[in-house]
Amino acid sequence: MKKTTMNTMNRHGLLNPSMKLITGSEMLLRCLIRQGAECIFGYPGGSVLNFYDAMVGNPDFKHILTRHEQGAVHAADGYARSTGKVGVVIATSGPGATNLVTGIATAYMDSVPLVILTGNVSTSVLGTDAFQEADITSITMPITKHNYLVRDANDLPVIIHEAFHLANTGRKGPVLIDIPKDVSNQKIQDTRSPSGTIRLRGYQADPKLETEKIDSLIRAIAEAEKPVIIAGGGVIYSNASNELLEFVNKTNIPVATTLLGLGGFPSAHGLWLGMPGHHGVYAANMAIQNADLVISIGSRFDDRVTMKLDGFAPQAKLIAHIDIDPAEIGKNVKTDIACIGDIKAVLGYANKNALPSRSGRWITEIQENKTRFPLQYKDSESELKPQFVIEMIHETTKGEAIITTDVGQHQMWAAQYYKFNHPRSLITSGGFGTMGFGLPSAIGAQVGNPDRLVISVNGDGGMQMCAQEMAICAIHNIPVKIVVINNQVLGMVKQQQEISYQQRYSHIDLAGSPDFVKLAEAYGIHGFRAHTKAEAFRFWNEALEISGPVLVEFVVPKDENVYPMVLGGTTLDQMIMGGPDDGGPIFFNQK
């Protein structure tokens, strides 16, 4: 990287004696504060001790010490997703840095703005396999939007300014800054961070709108009789939910929201179809399969949405794609109308001239599908069903909570049965499917939204991957309500082995898990356990009345599966519907 000298020399090439000398670490902290970093999550170690020393006595710098680096990066992720701001995480070199990799990949797959700060060994021993050395910039190159290796502390103001800009503009994503120990201790003169617009060669954060393409889309909508919108996480990341609502109301097009798009369009709206794809609802999947115009807005045609590509939207005469990242256009699905740009800007322009589609009969058909094939499960008075638990949580919160999830069956039940009223209300690992994400991401979301109710929904498998972060909830009185859906099995793996591997179950038994209530109490957190509906109501309402963190374990049957389901290698209209007996018919090409 080209070195930048920040006016530290006078005209004779000497340090200006009138300016105060500070360390690179002090400069780093000042730059973070100037960038508006409200809270940094991290874990110290030898190569970052200069950073941590600079924090001493600094009242403007808030840092939360997690119990594992993975917890720190997931917390920063949850903070970023729930606030729209850049999350910041700090870790030391070697194993500290590599422990961040899973969380960095999680953020990269879901386009989450993070700035990751790692320490490294001194520049004099870089490349010598020194103690706790890792080439973290090379390791993370495939899973970061950009990264830096800092060799001169004078470059820090520019690098920090660029990193925040890169992370939170265009298609958002994680940016890593690796700082050797001697650089963090280098004496430099205190200078102001750069401000104003950043122009980076080759980087175009907001592509110029091609209005003729948007006009083509508007004309196609006016001719369409069976249009459908697939709205993804990009709608939320670009703060375009209001524009999408206006667009739908003007064009009269039904909307399916992907897992990451949930909350980006109001679930109470009459044209909301639900979630499409692998565990999508019947109405959404059939709408896609029978549409004559498919419009993807901020969704990348992920394989969990499209399923078998040869057979995706076979009736579509046109497929349109609105996305800020040109690399996504045509990557998975052939695109006929490409509208590249910030979704808020694209829809803002489209709404000026939007025309209604010819969708009257189509909407009637879709409403009939919603009525005929709703989400359903076999309720029980003797057992506590996981779907019932999610419905109860929704009813008691009126859809106003921030829900974070781990990954597995509970994640899909939360997506299906909790109805989200607002964007940034569902925090979940979509593209990477990272177990252990649920609890630490809830901590970050609660830190970023201290006045909101934050609920972390976890399975008994994922809960054990970052359970140690309950200590942070207790120490800082972070009032997250922790839900554990305990079926004593790796449920999603079991479901796949049951259906696709002829019930050959292999290494999925979690019966030896800890007593989650006692574990919570060991960390100083209230804990409850419910086996029945009555206990579920009682303990959940008690948890909501407690001002601090609480864990509620709901013991559910291990044989409950997530339906509907589309198997890998099949098309969206080949759905296992489940139903009252968790079996039910398989529908082929139903219309």
Side-chain angles (χ1 to χ4, degrees):
M1 177 180 172
K2 183 179 179 181
K3 295 184 180 180
T4 305
T5 302
M6 297 297 298
N7 298 321
T8 58
M9 302 293 181
N10 62 22
R11 62 189 180 90
H12 300 294
L14 303 174
L15 287 171
N16 188 339
S18 65
M19 295 182 69
K20 179 184 176 182
L21 292 179
I22 61 173
T23 65
S25 295
E26 291 172 313
M27 175 59 75
L28 172 64
L29 299 193
R30 295 183 188 195
C31 291
L32 292 174
I33 292 170
R34 290 165 188 165
Q35 289 293 334
E38 297 173 329
C39 180
I40 284 78
F41 303 88
Y43 202 97
S47 291
V48 290
L49 287 185
N50 293 325
F51 301 160
Y52 279 83
D53 184 64
M55 296 178 196
V56 176
N58 191 328
D60 299 321
F61 193 80
K62 182 178 180 181
H63 175 279
I64 289 182
L65 171 64
T66 60
R67 293 303 181 262
H68 192 284
E69 290 90 354
Q70 184 175 351
V73 67
H74 289 332
D77 185 312
Y79 172 90
R81 293 189 201 225
S82 64
T83 64
K85 302 174 184 178
V86 177
V88 184
V89 60
I90 298 176
T92 193
S93 63
T98 57
N99 277 345
L100 297 175
V101 168
T102 296
I104 297 171
T106 301
Y108 181 77
M109 287 287 281
D110 290 349
S111 303
V112 179
L114 297 184
V115 168
I116 302 106
L117 304 166
T118 56
N120 212 327
V121 299
S122 294
T123 55
S124 61
V125 292
L126 279 174
T128 68
D129 295 327
F131 177 68
Q132 289 194 332
E133 180 187 0
D135 184 1
I136 196 63
T137 54
S138 295
I139 290 170
T140 60
M141 191 172 292
I143 54 171
T144 52
K145 188 174 178 181
H146 192 65
N147 58 35
Y148 299 85
L149 172 60
V150 185
R151 292 182 176 272
D152 186 342
N154 289 297
D155 294 340
L156 280 169
V158 169
I159 288 174
I160 297 296
H161 194 45
E162 286 182 2
F164 274 78
H165 175 72
L166 286 166
N168 211 26
T169 56
R171 180 173 181 174
K172 305 176 193 299
V175 177
L176 183 139
I177 304 172
D178 194 35
I179 308 174
K181 189 170 185 178
D182 56 328
V183 174
S184 69
N185 200 41
Q186 180 184 342
K187 295 289 186 179
I188 60 174
Q189 291 184 333
D190 188 9
T191 57
R192 293 291 300 174
S193 299
S195 59
T197 302
I198 294 179
R199 300 189 185 279
L200 299 174
R201 183 180 299 174
Y203 179 66
Q204 189 175 9
D206 297 311
K208 183 180 178 181
L209 294 185
E210 297 180 88
T211 55
E212 67 276 8
K213 299 288 184 66
I214 306 174
D215 292 336
S216 296
L217 175 59
I218 292 170
R219 289 192 295 270
I221 290 170
E223 295 295 321
E225 296 181 354
K226 296 183 176 183
V228 67
I229 290 170
I230 303 174
V235 172
I236 295 171
Y237 297 153
S238 63
N239 299 312
S241 297
N242 290 335
E243 286 77 10
L244 176 60
L245 178 60
E246 181 182 351
F247 184 70
V248 170
N249 287 337
K250 286 186 173 182
T251 58
N252 213 27
I253 302 177
V255 181
T257 44
T258 69
L259 177 64
L260 293 184
L262 290 171
F265 188 78
S267 60
H269 197 285
L271 292 178
W272 183 65
L273 300 174
M275 184 175 69
H278 180 49
H279 287 295
V281 298
Y282 182 90
N285 283 353
M286 293 305 167
I288 292 170
Q289 291 301 88
N290 293 299
D292 60 5
L293 172 63
V294 175
I295 307 170
S296 171
I297 305 179
S299 171
R300 57 188 178 87
F301 290 115
D302 172 75
D303 61 295
R304 285 296 179 99
V305 170
T306 63
M307 300 309 292
K308 185 180 179 182
L309 282 172
D310 182 14
F312 172 75
Q315 305 301 319
K317 299 175 184 177
L318 292 173
I319 292 182
H321 195 171
I322 302 174
D323 203 288
I324 198 167
D325 186 358
E328 290 297 337
I329 305 297
K331 185 178 79 174
N332 296 325
V333 173
K334 181 180 179 296
T335 302
D336 301 293
I337 303 174
C339 301
I340 299 170
D342 179 75
I343 292 167
K344 191 178 186 73
V346 172
L347 293 181
Y349 175 85
N351 285 334
K352 295 177 183 178
N353 304 299
L355 298 171
S357 60
R358 302 174 180 178
S359 58
R361 293 182 181 179
W362 173 238
I363 290 173
T364 299
E365 178 184 332
I366 284 174
Q367 297 297 352
E368 290 175 354
N369 281 341
K370 290 173 69 174
T371 301
R372 290 171 59 209
F373 302 107
L375 287 170
Q376 57 182 326
Y377 63 96
K378 186 179 180 181
D379 202 0
S380 172
E381 295 304 317
S382 60
E383 293 181 309
L384 185 58
K385 291 298 185 79
Q387 301 95 327
F388 170 83
V389 173
I390 302 300
E391 287 181 324
M392 180 192 70
I393 292 172
H394 174 262
E395 289 169 5
T396 54
T397 62
K398 309 300 182 185
E400 294 295 319
I402 294 176
I403 304 293
T404 77
T405 81
D406 214 274
V407 170
Q409 288 179 313
H410 69 276
Q411 178 189 32
M412 293 297 103
W413 285 317
Q416 291 176 338
Y417 289 95
Y418 194 95
K419 307 306 179 188
F420 296 91
N421 297 335
H422 310 290
R424 302 191 185 279
S425 293
L426 175 62
I427 311 299
T428 193
S429 173
F432 212 51
T434 304
M435 292 180 70
F437 179 81
L439 175 57
S441 65
I443 292 171
Q446 189 74 83
V447 169
N449 302 268
D451 298 325
R452 294 280 302 276
L453 172 63
V454 178
I455 301 169
S456 175
V457 181
N458 307 270
D460 49 320
M463 183 63 197
Q464 296 182 68
M465 293 194 175
C466 284
Q468 70 279 351
E469 304 308 335
M470 282 194 285
I472 310 309
C473 296
I475 292 167
H476 298 280
N477 196 34
I478 297 173
V480 172
K481 309 308 176 190
I482 306 165
V483 170
V484 180
I485 307 290
N486 187 357
N487 59 3
Q488 300 186 55
V489 71
L490 286 172
M492 192 62 84
V493 179
K494 175 185 178 295
Q495 179 167 339
Q496 293 181 50
Q497 290 178 347
E498 176 182 324
I499 296 171
S500 299
Y501 293 85
Q502 293 73 52
Q503 300 182 352
R504 293 194 301 275
Y505 300 123
S506 178
H507 298 283
I508 54 173
D509 186 3
L510 294 179
S513 297
D515 182 321
F516 289 104
V517 172
K518 289 183 178 179
L519 185 62
E521 291 171 346
Y523 280 109
I525 292 175
H526 292 282
F528 302 102
R529 180 180 295 110
H531 293 87
T532 66
K533 284 184 175 181
E535 290 177 343
F537 273 118
R538 174 189 164 194
F539 292 135
W540 178 245
N541 281 290
E542 272 193 58
L544 292 177
E545 291 297 319
I546 295 173
S547 60
V550 185
L551 181 145
V552 185
E553 177 187 2
F554 297 95
V555 180
V556 301
K558 66 175 61 176
D559 293 326
E560 198 72 18
N561 285 336
V562 180
Y563 293 113
M565 181 181 185
V566 180
L567 296 178
T570 64
T571 55
L572 288 176
D573 47 14
Q574 297 175 284
M575 298 180 67
I576 303 175
M577 293 300 292
D581 298 314
D582 279 346
I586 300 177
F587 293 87
F588 293 92
N589 299 313
Q590 291 289 315
K591 296 183 180 179

